[in-house]
Amino acid sequence: MNIPRHRSALLAVAGTALVLSLTACQSDGDSASSATPEATVAATAVSAQPAGGKGTGTSGATGPAEAARSTGSKDSAGSTGSSGSSGTTGTTGSTGSTGERASDSAPLCTAGDVTVRAATQDGPPYTHLVLTARNTSHHACRLTGFPHIQFLESHKQDVPAVGKSKPATPVVLTAGAPAYALVKLSDGGIDEDTEPVSAFSVMLEGDPTVIAVTAPGSEGIAVDPAKALTGYWTPELRNGADDF
């Protein structure tokens, strides 16, 4: 009678342990099952935040702005390049234009730049002189107008100039180059009122310095102040324009 009771007790204990074990397993299963949705939600939230949060929003907002800035920068660079190119072209044009006006920029010849000499033209009677102004400086200069000549102390007025002898362009003398002016002394008549002249004065346009010029010939020249004329400075004597 004792053995069956002992077996019943063991069976009862085993059954209780089995029930407890099943209950524990069920509890663990429920816990795992209930934890899984929460973990899934949390994982979903973490993974979704970079895709739909600041990362995505910032990228979307920054993209167009950066593109706009990039485009603006390119346009600005293009505009600057164009301006730079225009400036270079203008400078080149300016440089070319200055070169063409080089003769106009040469300084006026002064008494210190030239040596003036006189020589008779043709034979007796000596009615004309040729003045030669040679550039003895080391730079180019412009010889404008005509020589301002006074032959006699009793006639302080300059000898009148002949307009038809005026050259069409300015006379620019390089170093060593000459210019000429034809000067009429008289008509060469016997009854003319002439006076002997051994030296006379010449002034250049724009320079008040008096240049003393020695008259050619041992006896000097005969000048009729009422008939005297002078031509303009020219690079060479020209037939027709210088005949007076």
Side-chain angles (χ1 to χ4, degrees), residues 23-111:
T23 302
C25 291
Q26 184 176 0
S27 297
D28 292 339
D30 293 341
S31 298
S33 175
S34 61
T36 299
E38 295 176 358
T40 302
V41 171
T44 304
V46 171
S47 63
Q49 185 174 354
K54 293 182 179 180
T56 304
T58 303
S59 176
T62 304
E66 289 179 348
R69 286 196 296 269
S70 177
T71 303
S73 177
K74 290 180 181 178
D75 292 342
S76 176
S79 175
T80 302
S82 176
S83 298
S85 176
S86 298
T88 303
T89 303
T91 303
T92 304
S94 177
T95 305
S97 180
T98 303
E100 293 173 0
R101 295 193 301 268
S103 61
D104 294 341
S105 63
L108 289 175
C109 295
T110 65

Side-chain angles (χ1 to χ4, degrees), residues 2-28:
N2 291 332
I3 292 174
R5 286 182 182 177
H6 181 67
R7 287 179 178 175
S8 299
L10 290 176
L11 291 173
V13 172
T16 301
L18 180 60
V19 170
L20 291 174
S21 176
L22 292 174
T23 302
C25 291
Q26 184 176 0
S27 297
D28 292 339

